[in-house]
Amino acid sequence: MLQFSRYQTAGIALLMVLAVLFAVPNLLSEENRNSLPGFMPKGTINLGLDLQGGSHLLLGVDTDKVIDDRMRAMMSDVRREMRPNRAAGQERVSIDGLTYDDSTGTITLRLADASQADEAERRVRELTRGGIGGALGLGLRSYTVTASDQRIQVAMTTEAQNFYATEAVRDSIEVVRRRIDPAGNKEVLIAPQGTDRIVVQVPGDNDPEALKELINRTGQLSFHRHDPTVSLQDAMNGLLPPGRIFVPFGELEGSGRPGLVLLEEAEVTGDMVQTASAGPNSDGGGFQINFAFDQRGARRFADYTRNNVGSIFAIVLDNEIISAPNIQTPITQGSGRITGSFTAFEAANTALLIRSGALPAELTTLEQRSVGAQLGADSVKAGAQALVIGFLAVIIYMVISYGRFGIYADIALVANVILIAGVLSLMGSTLTLPGIAGIVLTIGMAVDANVLIFERIREELLAGKPPIKAAETGYDKARSAIIDANITTFLAALIMFQLGAGPVRGFAITLAVGVVTSVFTAYVLTRLFAGGYLLAKRPKEITL
């Protein structure tokens, strides 16, 4: 039980050496870090906004445009529903006009044939069916439909407008978070302010302009119909009929062609893409992007490909064509792939951009500035002094209470701090006050584990067992209590990381890392020292 093989000992020593290597850059200046040999790690723990300052942005979310865009998309859906659909057995409904009044937020459909009014109303009501508020719907309809003679009007309900505006703010926060903190360990603060504003605070980033440029990347994906009737030369000279756009090919597409003339109205939009991932090209070398639509997008994609076999379907990302395949067969399973001259890196980045999604609403910068540390140098110094004093007090107490074994526990405690620093440096995590609290908590948990072990050994000694046997029994009996306590804490940290954001996630990361390292140092490292002493000296009695 107390015996370690030379390979186990070497593995523990190697782990500690690696921890020291990753932790040491935190003690060096940037100049000294850059002068380290190439094989040496140079990453450090980043300090949070409350410790070092950073960039602050106040963004406005154009929720009115979100409502307007949804209504215009609904108008396109209404126009599409009036077209013939051979698969659904629907004939064309002749319309005299279809308009959208943005001042009243109303779509008006005027029919050319009064005999088709009932069929048109049925299709519109079917199109607008469904409630808001998730799966339950709460019994609230998104749209109201009124029909009178040969005119049908569609308007969004007030409840739906409020819901979609709130959803746009929430989704904008998530898109911004995925762009500037994809790993979730930088302790970025992104929070709503009021009904249509977002506050963004990034620690250590003193360039608000660069941060604003990153946030405002479009990430807009759309699928368009090709119009072969327009001359490419005329399009390049700006001679385009209404409703047509000329879109150049992107470098990733790799064909070398200048571009295509497309219908401005997209058949499918990026918000209908549910998942996107990179993978090897199934037709040969290189990589491709696999994607899958939600139910609405799958329906549109299936209808279009079924009715346009043999034509070109252009996939546009940020106003560049990244793929323009010919539709060979109907695609009805709701998924597809984008091929081109993608490297693994380009495919992964493009998939990430598609997956993170376009911003659901336009963001305007209302305020931007660089901010200083909230705590101030004196407060940081005082906090560091308090941490050191408390740490030294724990070390002295362990030595007084447990003698030689207390020294082993103190060595393990120092090793625990080094391991935490090494892991956080490797992850590039950001440290704020909640993160420091997580480290202090794990130090306490490491001491608590040692206390459990040593008190158990003391009980075994009082029961008359020899030192080696008492130590073996103590470590064995205390193991289940230590593991159970730390597993529950680790699960709590995982839940906080999953559900939390910003400083809460930072606390969860340091707590989770500390739980793992404290179990290792308290149970493995102290056992290595104690076992080495007992097996080498074989004392007849020990003092605990």
Side-chain angles (χ1 to χ4, degrees), residues 273-281 287-292 335-339 342 344 346-356:
V273 177
Q274 199 167 46
T275 61
S277 61
N281 191 334
F287 290 81
Q288 66 183 29
I289 300 166
N290 306 303
F291 61 87
S335 62
R337 62 193 181 100
I338 302 173
T339 58
F342 297 110
E346 291 166 343
N349 274 2
T350 305
L352 176 62
L353 184 60
I354 295 172
R355 189 166 60 248
S356 65

Side-chain angles (χ1 to χ4, degrees), residues 181-188 427-431 497 505-506 509:
D181 187 18
N185 63 351
K186 292 184 179 179
E187 301 222 14
V188 174
M427 296 170 60
S429 296
T430 299
L431 188 64
F497 181 82
R505 277 196 165 190
I509 289 174

